[in-house]
Amino acid sequence: MKPKKESTSESFCKASELWMESVGPRLKESSIVKYRNIIDVHLLPYFKEMDMSDINSTDILAFCNSLLQPDEKNESGLASKTISDILTVLKSIYRFISEKNSFENVIRDWPSVGQTHRPLRILSLPEQHKLSLYLYKHLTPCNLGILLCLYTGIRIGKICALKWMDISVEEKIIQIRKTMQRIQCRNTEPPKTTILISSPKSSCSIRSIPIPDELSCMIVKYRKSDDSFFLTGKENYFIEPRTLQNRFKAITAACGISDANFHSLRHTFATRCVELGFDLKSLSEILGHANVNITLNRYVHPSLEQKRRNMNLLSVYLTADKLAERDGNG
C-alpha cells in the first residue's frame, strides 16, 4: 500500500507558474499569450500571495463580483464572456494544484456568468447593395477580399492569411488553413506586439468553402503566384487585420454605412443564407462552426415579416373552412 501523499500547497503566484509550465507545451502561442494576460492583469493582483489551499467559495464569489464592478477602463464592468474566460483559467489552476498537492478541493460550485450577446450588426439589403457596388467599381485585390468575405463568411484573420495556394480556381474552392493575428510578445520591455500566422485553434475551422460562380470569374483575373497573399498579390507583403479593419471603415463611410465593423460581413452572409433557405448543416460547415446548434442559436432568428409569411400559410385552412361552410349552406 502506497503511503498517503503529504498535503502541501503554494501561493497563487507559484501555482499559476506551475500550471502554465504544465499546459504550455500543448497550447498555441496565441493561447499562451491570452492565459498570461488573464493571469497577470486579473488573477495575480487579487490572489497573488494567497495560499491555494486557503482559497474558498467566498473568495471566488468576491473576486467574481469585483470583475463586475466598473472602473476607469470599463464603465460597465467586464463583459460576461471575459469574466467567464477568467474564471475558467482560475478553475483550471485551482484544480491542477489541488490534485498535485493533494489538498481538499473545497470549491464545488463555481460561479457562472450568464452570457449576454450583443445584437448582431447585419447589413440591410440596401446597405449590402451599396457596399457591393462600391467594391465592384473600385476593384483591387484588397476590395475583392472584402467582397469575398461578404459572400463566403470568412473571418478577418483568415482572409488576411489567405494565399493563392489556398485557392483552386478550377474547382472554385477556398481552403481555410491559416489565420493571422497580432499578439503580445512575451518578456519584452516595453511591451511589444508581433504578427502571428498559424493554423486555426479548432479543427472545424480548417475547411473548404465553395466560391460562388460570379465571384470565381472575378477572382481568376487577379491570379498570382501560389505564395502570394490574396489581399496584396505579393509574397513578402501582407495586410494585417487591424489595417484591413481601418480600410473597411473608410469604405463603409464612403458608402454612407454606419456602425458596421468587419465582422458584420460574416453576420450578413450567414443571415442572407438563412433567408435564402440554405440547409443548416452546409451553412454550419461553411462558417466553421463546431456544430449546427451554434448556427441555430446565432443566426436562425426569424424576422417579423418572416413570421407573418409563415402565419399566412394557415390561410389555406381558413379558406377550406369557408368553402365547407358555403357548400353546407348551399
Side-chain angles (χ1 to χ4, degrees), residues 173-229:
I173 286 177
I174 298 172
Q175 301 285 344
I176 301 298
R177 301 185 180 109
K178 299 288 184 181
T179 190
M180 181 188 295
Q181 57 187 316
R182 181 172 286 279
I183 64 171
Q184 289 185 339
C185 299
R186 289 183 290 158
N187 304 320
T188 60
E189 195 61 44
K192 295 181 180 179
T193 61
T194 187
I195 289 293
L196 175 68
I197 300 176
S198 61
S199 57
K201 290 182 182 179
S202 61
S203 58
C204 57
S205 293
I206 301 172
R207 61 198 189 276
S208 299
I209 301 176
I211 309 170
D213 290 345
E214 187 70 22
L215 264 181
S216 185
C217 293
M218 298 167 66
I219 287 173
V220 71
K221 299 175 183 177
Y222 285 82
R223 185 79 169 100
K224 298 294 181 182
S225 62
D226 281 355
D227 211 36
S228 300
F229 286 94

Side-chain angles (χ1 to χ4, degrees), residues 313-326:
L313 294 175
L314 296 171
S315 295
V316 64
Y317 296 112
L318 290 169
T319 303
D321 290 342
K322 283 183 179 179
L323 287 172
E325 182 182 1
R326 188 187 68 184

Side-chain angles (χ1 to χ4, degrees), residues 22-69:
S22 172
V23 300
R26 305 192 300 273
L27 298 176
K28 290 183 177 296
E29 182 66 20
S30 57
S31 296
I32 292 175
V33 170
K34 176 183 177 180
Y35 294 158
R36 281 285 181 193
N37 284 341
I38 286 175
I39 291 170
D40 293 343
V41 175
H42 299 289
L43 297 177
L44 279 178
Y46 195 94
F47 293 104
K48 187 173 183 178
E49 297 305 328
M50 289 184 68
D51 191 284
M52 291 298 297
S53 61
D54 291 336
I55 297 175
N56 56 39
S57 297
T58 302
D59 298 317
I60 302 298
L61 186 59
F63 170 66
C64 187
N65 289 334
S66 73
L67 297 177
L68 293 167
Q69 299 304 311

Side-chain angles (χ1 to χ4, degrees), residues 16 18 81 124 145 150 219 240 263 276 280 298 320:
S16 63
L18 291 172
K81 174 64 167 65
S124 66
L150 178 57
I219 287 173
E240 67 160 294
H263 203 65
L276 290 169
L280 291 178
R298 196 78 170 137

